[in-house]
Amino acid sequence: FEAIDTEAAVRSSVSLVENNLRIKDYTVDITGVNNIYIIGFGKASCVVASVLDTILGSAIKGGVAIGLAPVACEYVQTYGGTHPHPSVQNVELSQKILDLSDKLTDKDLVIVAVSGGGSALLCWPMEECRQANRLYGEFLKTGGDIKELNTIRKHISLLKGGGLAQKLYPATVVGLIFSDVPGNNFQHVASGPTYKDETTVADAQVILDK
């Protein structure tokens, strides 16, 4: 249990010493960064946001994290959404992330905490919410696995399957991915909003036909 403790994982991977921000093997001199934002979605995201809030402090310009329940933070706004079924509430919270993305420049850095449950908690637009609820209810009856489910989810969403990374462009985006998928196939964690999508609409159609 200690090995998968969220706070311990973040503290061992992220540190700020003077102007050098280290995120595992990636180091950036933040003197060249205008703003640092934190975004999160998934069951671990509010805890991650809270830890980053402590580590980075006033270096954080702002942020939004959507989890199961809000956690006290000074610089990041945290919210509780619905899981495992997406809802209007989740869509409205996801809109806050999109609102943040509208003001980003190539001088900004966005740290995105991605964790299990994010497929439901990050949901946009409303049409995705409607289709995702139908998909979840029907798919559970088929015996399909999580990778198959998330492949379909990517192609009914504008944020999954790398869509969020596109929205955050031209900012630099660093994903902190907390994998709950066997084999650490990162593109399937929360349906991969910050990860290159290697699946196609045709792949999703094959799964639906099956």
Side-chain angles (χ1 to χ4, degrees):
F1 285 127
E2 291 176 357
I4 60 169
D5 179 78
T6 300
E7 180 174 351
V10 176
R11 290 193 179 280
S12 68
S13 300
V14 181
S15 62
L16 179 61
V17 179
E18 295 181 345
N19 290 316
N20 292 313
L21 172 60
R22 178 188 66 87
I23 305 172
K24 289 188 75 68
D25 299 326
Y26 176 76
T27 301
V28 58
D29 182 353
I30 64 171
T31 56
V33 175
N34 284 350
N35 302 296
I36 298 175
Y37 295 96
I38 308 299
I39 289 174
F41 38 85
K43 289 177 277 189
S45 68
C46 290
V47 174
V48 176
S50 176
V51 180
L52 292 175
D53 199 85
T54 301
I55 295 172
L56 302 180
S58 60
I60 300 173
K61 177 70 173 181
V64 177
I66 310 169
L68 299 183
V71 175
C73 291
E74 187 172 354
Y75 301 99
V76 182
Q77 298 296 314
T78 64
Y79 302 91
T82 62
H83 176 273
H85 293 283
S87 64
V88 173
Q89 177 183 352
N90 293 8
V91 176
E92 291 173 348
L93 293 174
S94 298
Q95 181 65 53
K96 293 180 181 294
I97 292 176
L98 287 169
D99 292 343
L100 186 155
S101 74
D102 288 340
K103 58 186 178 182
L104 297 175
T105 74
D106 60 357
K107 297 296 185 181
D108 295 327
L109 171 67
V110 184
I111 302 174
V112 185
V114 183
S115 60
S119 291
L121 291 162
L122 182 73
C123 185
W124 190 89
M126 187 63 72
E127 178 63 13
E128 179 195 347
C129 179
R130 186 187 69 79
Q131 292 192 32
N133 271 311
R134 178 185 172 195
L135 173 66
Y136 187 84
E138 295 295 323
F139 202 83
L140 288 180
K141 305 171 187 176
T142 70
D145 64 32
I146 186 64
K147 292 180 181 180
E148 291 175 315
L149 175 61
N150 284 356
T151 295
I152 300 170
R153 280 169 160 167
K154 290 178 184 182
H155 297 287
I156 60 173
S157 172
L158 295 181
L159 297 183
K160 297 176 173 64
L164 177 62
Q166 289 182 308
K167 294 290 186 184
L168 298 176
Y169 180 84
T172 297
V173 177
V174 178
L176 302 183
I177 303 177
F178 294 76
S179 178
D180 63 340
V181 177
N184 284 345
N185 197 329
F186 298 119
Q187 67 169 310
H188 290 295
V189 180
S191 305
T194 62
Y195 211 85
K196 181 181 178 180
D197 184 13
E198 298 177 352
T199 71
T200 64
V201 171
D203 293 332
Q205 187 63 58
V206 168
I207 296 167
L208 286 171
D209 292 342
K210 173 186 167 184

